[in-house]
Each structure stands twice: as C-alpha cells, then as structure tokens.
Amino acid sequence: MKKFIQIMKNDIEEFHLSRKISRAQELSEQTGMHVNHNEYPAYFFGDPKAEFVLVHLNPKQQDNKSDVYEEDFKFANFDEYYNFHRYYGKIHYGKNSKKTLKSPFDLKQIRFLKPFNVIGFDDSDNKYPNLEKVMDNKLQLEFLPFGSSKFETALMRSSLLDPYVDTLLDTIDSQSRKYIIFCGKVFESVLKDYIVSKQDYEFKLLKTDGSIAKNNSSFSKILLDFNGNKISAGIAQSFAQQGLNMSEYGKKCCELYNK
C-alpha cells in the first residue's frame, strides 16, 4: 500500500506544480491511446483496506487536448485529494452533502454487491445511505488512473502496461481481501501473464420482468500468481452493459465465486 500511496502522491504533486502528469503523457505517446495528462486522475474510491475490491479500466472523462490543466485546482494538497477519494460517498451522498442526483452507475453497484453480503446495506427506500456505503465501504480501483473517453484495447501493448499491472496487483495483495472482481472481459488480456488457471461460465439470467434473457451472461473465476502469492479473483461483465439485471447477475457471480 505504501507503493500505491507514493505513486499517487508523486503524480498529484507534479500535477500541482506543472499542471500535467508526465507519465500519463508518456503513456499516450507510447501507446497511441489518448489519456488525459492534464486532468485530475482517479486511482481509487473508498477504503484501501476493504474486503471487497472492484477493479475498472480507467475513469470516464472527455478527452482533453490542451497542453496543461487550465482550471483552478480543486485540492490544496495531496492529503486533501486523498481524503476526497477515501470518503467520496460521504461527500456526495452523506447527510451533510448537497444531494441532487443518484448516480445510475453507483446504483448498479449496490444491486451487484448486495448478494456478496460484505456491506451492510439499508433496505429502506432512502437510497442515499446505500450510495454512501457502496462508495466508501469497498475499494474501487482504476487500472489506469488517467481518464479518457474510451479504452482502446488494441493499442495497449502488454509491455507498456506492466508497471500499471504491478501497481494494481501489489495494492490488492497488500491487504487481506474476501472478494476481488475485475470488471470487463478485457482484463483477460491485461492479466494474461499472471493468470495460472481460469474457469469460464455462461448462463442465462432472469430479466427484471421475470422472463429469461435471450443472451448469455458470463463470469470467469481466475487464480493469479503475483510474486509467488496466489490471488483468487473473478472477471465480470462490464457495468456499462445495457439490459443486464444487476441483482440477478450479482447473485450468480457470488455463487460461482464461492463454488
């Protein structure tokens, strides 16, 4: 975890000094895939020590083609930046927040995570306490912390991603975890050098109207070898997929993960 925090701190301090992050700029130049070197990155949301880890590819942002960050800084220093992401749920959905919108993405996460029984969700109609919990009581990691409008898998050569994979797995492995879920089939390619076993599952889910979905859904159980340590994890479908019954999908993934 110390390595992860130091990388974040170095990037944010450079950003506040020069209004850009050099390693993000280098990644764009090396891969041909645009990532924003001139916007605040997002490495994580929630509790770095959480039992449940959810990994996404990178933050969704509009591509910014400016040379440097052109707005007023949102944070005074790294500590303020870190605390914003550690308590993102409390800031956005807590009782003292200025609540306006319920994020559809965060609501999907609630439905997916409920069957795993690692977060004590409230069953009342007030969604805001659950939105706070789903952000702050798990660890959400971004594989690449630099935002972009899309993730161009074909441009990301594995050798260039090695430092990011190493940081990701080192962060996950630094604490005891109960569930580790990578979101998106692309992680099969990203993690291929570390996967020592993989079991794929396909199944049909109930739709919200009670009928059976026409298309198959999928989930993979994987075992990773990282520096001699074995890490059990799963690869789930992307949360961005339309029409996926997240409650039923979460139940099935939990069942298969523990199989």
Side-chain angles (χ1 to χ4, degrees), residues 207-218:
K207 296 164 64 175
T208 52
D209 64 6
S211 62
I212 302 294
K214 291 181 179 179
N215 297 326
N216 285 341
S217 296
S218 64

Side-chain angles (χ1 to χ4, degrees), residues 67-79:
D67 181 49
V68 297
Y69 182 71
E70 297 176 338
E71 301 176 28
D72 293 336
F73 289 125
K74 298 175 183 176
F75 308 101
N77 50 44
F78 173 70
D79 288 343

Side-chain angles (χ1 to χ4, degrees), residues 74-198:
K74 298 175 183 176
F75 308 101
N77 50 44
F78 173 70
D79 288 343
E80 192 174 300
Y81 170 88
Y82 180 92
N83 287 330
F84 174 82
H85 289 83
R86 170 61 187 92
Y87 300 106
Y88 184 90
K90 183 177 181 180
I91 292 167
H92 283 79
Y93 300 121
K95 63 181 180 179
N96 295 322
S97 67
K98 296 178 181 178
K99 306 180 182 82
T100 55
L101 296 173
K102 301 182 182 77
S103 162
F105 184 85
D106 294 341
L107 289 168
K108 280 186 176 182
Q109 293 194 104
I110 294 171
R111 294 196 294 272
F112 178 76
L113 287 171
K114 266 190 174 182
F116 291 87
N117 291 318
V118 289
I119 297 175
F121 288 118
D122 184 350
D123 288 331
S124 72
D125 291 333
N126 183 1
K127 295 291 192 300
Y128 286 112
N130 284 344
L131 285 164
E132 179 180 349
K133 289 176 181 178
V134 81
M135 292 306 304
D136 292 349
N137 292 4
K138 73 172 192 320
L139 174 59
Q140 178 178 318
L141 290 170
E142 302 291 339
F143 167 53
L144 296 181
F146 316 118
S148 63
S149 62
K150 59 182 178 179
F151 192 96
E152 300 183 59
T153 309
L155 296 177
M156 305 301 282
R157 301 194 305 277
S158 60
S159 60
L160 298 174
L161 299 180
D162 286 348
Y164 297 91
V165 178
D166 183 83
T167 300
L168 176 69
L169 295 182
D170 181 77
T171 303
I172 291 170
D173 196 40
S174 67
Q175 302 287 327
S176 176
R177 314 291 187 184
K178 191 170 183 179
Y179 293 105
I180 303 158
I181 303 287
F182 296 90
C183 297
K185 194 173 177 62
V186 64
F187 278 107
E188 291 183 10
S189 298
V190 169
L191 301 169
K192 62 182 176 60
D193 293 337
Y194 299 86
I195 295 175
V196 293
S197 69
K198 182 164 74 79

